[in-house]
């Protein structure tokens, strides 16, 4: 059983999209035809849903460029009384991309981690492939994806039919690979040696919390404020997402060995998930990553 898993990371999602576009061009067929299960968290949920529906990756990349600055246009500088960003343009982007298609109409196994923050529990949206959890199949795909994308403080929680509020699945599964391993074992009844995962990151950050004399370690250290613009930087959230991804990467490499192929690239510093100005840098890194790992990637997917 072959699975495609895509990390969260906001605008850094252009990194895996560019790699997927290169793979799609080389293989000459839709990516979804090469995988049994597709999974994505946060921005990875947007990409995973697009792959499942056989959307062209270059077109998706153009949409990220088009909507990026609109989605990450601040409505609040510090996010004290309201979320830093409105989800208005994100909603518009997702509705335009997925229409009113519901999870019930998608037969391909699609897995989108989120958080039921009302009840304080992890939650996984699944498409209609006979899984044990079928109660949310009437939810539109765009709504499920939005739920996986709603990063706390930066976007408002997504209201699911007035039953619960949902926020970013990256809080517990920014790399959804381990969710897929569990699904393969529990639902598909596959032995672990039959599970193969192609995992795409959104760049490895070097998030600096240096030792400084007499540091008070208040909010401005964890969520630094750019005093010239009075904007807060999502440093703590980016750290949490990065730790989540790298922990799962280590666990899956240990569990799956050569059946786990992870493609990621060091960013050489901090690239916040809302830094739209980093798109070109991320695309260049994606090109480098694909050139370096091309043979390994194609062999893994075609095997």
């Amino acid at each position: 059983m072959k699975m495609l898993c895509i990390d969260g990371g906001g605008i850094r999602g252009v990194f895996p999209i560019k790699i997927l576009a290169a793979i799609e061009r080389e293989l000459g067929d839709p990516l979804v035809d090469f995988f049994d299960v597709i999974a994505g968290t946060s921005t990875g949920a947007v990409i995973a849903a697009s792959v499942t529906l056989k959307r062209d990756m270059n077109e998706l990349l153009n949409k990220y460029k088009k909507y990026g600055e609109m989605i990450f246009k601040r409505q609040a500088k510090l996010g004290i009384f309201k979320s830093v960003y409105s989800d208005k343009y994100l909603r518009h982007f997702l509705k335009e991309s997925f229409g009113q298609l519901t999870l019930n109409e998608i037969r391909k196994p699609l897995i989108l981690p989120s958080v039921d923050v009302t009840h304080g529990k992890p939650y996984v949206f699944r498409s209609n492939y006979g899984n044990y959890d079928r109660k949310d199949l009437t939810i539109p795909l765009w709504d499920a994806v939005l739920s996986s994308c709603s990063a706390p403080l930066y976007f408002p929680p997504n209201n699911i039919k007035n039953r619960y509020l949902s926020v970013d699945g990256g809080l517990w599964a920014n790399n959804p690979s381990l969710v897929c391993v569990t699904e393969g074992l529990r639902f598909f009844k596959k032995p672990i040696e039959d599970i193969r995962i192609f995992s795409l990151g959104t760049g490895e950050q070097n998030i600096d919390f240096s030792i400084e004399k007499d540091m008070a370690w208040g909010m401005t250290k964890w969520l630094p404020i750019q005093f010239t613009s009075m904007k807060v930087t999502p440093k703590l959230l980016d750290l949490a997402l990065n730790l989540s991804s790298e922990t799962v990467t280590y666990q899956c490499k240990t569990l799956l060995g050569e059946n786990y192929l992870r493609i990621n690239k060091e960013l050489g510093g901090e690239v916040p998930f809302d830094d739209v100005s980093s798109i070109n840098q991320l695309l260049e890194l994606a090109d480098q990553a694909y050139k370096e790992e091309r043979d390994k990637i194609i062999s893994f997917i075609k095997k």
Side-chain angles (χ1 to χ4, degrees):
M1 170 163 276
K2 197 184 305 172
M3 303 175 171
L4 172 63
C5 298
I6 308 164
D7 283 21
I11 200 63
R12 296 196 305 271
V14 299
F15 177 86
I17 294 173
K18 188 68 186 289
I19 292 175
L20 290 172
I23 297 170
E24 195 169 55
R25 182 174 61 251
E26 180 131 0
L27 295 176
D29 290 304
L31 288 164
V32 68
D33 294 345
F34 295 91
F35 296 96
D36 302 299
V37 177
I38 314 291
T41 303
S42 196
T43 195
V46 180
I47 303 166
S50 300
V51 169
T52 301
L53 299 181
K54 298 186 178 183
R55 300 293 161 76
D56 182 84
M57 289 295 101
N58 282 314
E59 291 182 9
L60 180 61
L61 184 57
N62 289 333
K63 283 189 174 183
Y64 266 61
K65 293 176 181 178
K66 173 184 175 182
Y67 280 99
E69 289 189 2
M70 291 187 283
I71 291 171
F72 292 112
K73 182 178 180 180
R74 292 178 181 249
Q75 66 171 356
K77 293 183 176 179
L78 300 180
I80 296 175
F81 299 107
K82 59 181 177 181
S83 60
V84 173
Y85 301 111
S86 165
D87 63 2
K88 174 183 176 181
Y89 290 108
L90 181 56
R91 282 176 178 268
H92 182 75
F93 165 47
L94 296 176
K95 287 182 177 180
E96 180 186 273
S97 298
F98 306 126
Q100 289 303 311
L101 186 71
T102 66
L103 294 175
N104 189 49
E105 298 173 87
I106 303 171
R107 299 294 177 175
K108 187 78 174 187
L110 174 64
I111 295 173
L112 309 173
S114 66
V115 175
D116 172 357
V117 74
T118 298
H119 301 98
K121 296 180 179 180
Y123 190 84
V124 179
F125 290 95
R126 296 177 173 90
S127 59
N128 186 17
Y129 57 93
N131 205 291
Y132 36 77
D133 186 0
R134 299 172 56 88
K135 61 185 178 182
D136 275 344
L137 288 177
T138 59
I139 289 175
L141 175 60
W142 71 263
D143 214 2
V145 173
L146 178 62
S147 295
S148 187
C149 291
S150 299
L153 181 64
Y154 292 89
F155 290 102
N158 190 31
N159 188 327
I160 301 295
K161 296 184 177 181
N162 288 320
R163 297 207 313 265
Y164 60 92
L165 297 175
S166 185
V167 298
D168 197 328
L171 294 180
W172 69 282
N174 200 55
N175 175 350
S177 296
L178 205 53
V179 180
C180 282
V181 171
T182 305
E183 196 77 351
L185 294 172
R186 183 181 177 191
F187 175 73
F188 292 105
K189 307 299 182 184
K190 296 290 183 180
I192 196 164
E193 58 267 21
D194 286 352
I195 296 173
R196 304 179 71 244
I197 292 179
F198 177 47
S199 170
L200 285 170
T202 57
E204 296 178 21
Q205 292 203 83
N206 180 16
I207 301 175
D208 181 25
F209 284 97
S210 299
I211 298 174
E212 298 179 26
K213 187 177 180 180
D214 299 326
M215 177 56 65
W217 289 99
M219 188 187 81
T220 56
K221 182 62 177 177
W222 295 106
L223 296 170
I225 298 172
Q226 303 170 21
F227 287 101
T228 53
S229 60
M230 289 303 293
K231 292 180 180 178
V232 64
T233 303
K235 191 168 183 175
L236 178 59
L237 184 56
D238 268 332
L239 175 65
L241 300 182
N242 190 66
L243 289 172
S244 172
S245 287
E246 294 311 308
T247 300
V248 169
T249 296
Y250 173 78
Q251 292 167 334
C252 286
K253 283 181 177 179
T254 302
L255 290 170
L256 303 180
E258 292 183 356
N259 282 343
Y260 188 75
L261 178 59
R262 170 80 166 172
I263 303 298
N264 211 358
K265 193 79 172 174
E266 290 187 7
L267 298 175
E270 298 177 14
V271 180
F273 70 81
D274 58 353
D275 184 5
V276 180
S277 67
S278 67
I279 287 179
N280 289 335
Q281 173 196 351
L282 290 160
L283 295 178
E284 290 176 6
L285 286 172
D287 284 336
Q288 291 176 23
Y290 185 70
K291 288 177 182 177
E292 293 167 1
E293 305 289 350
R294 180 258 173 203
D295 292 345
K296 190 183 297 184
I297 292 171
I298 298 302
S299 175
F300 188 90
I301 292 175
K302 294 176 88 173
K303 186 175 179 180

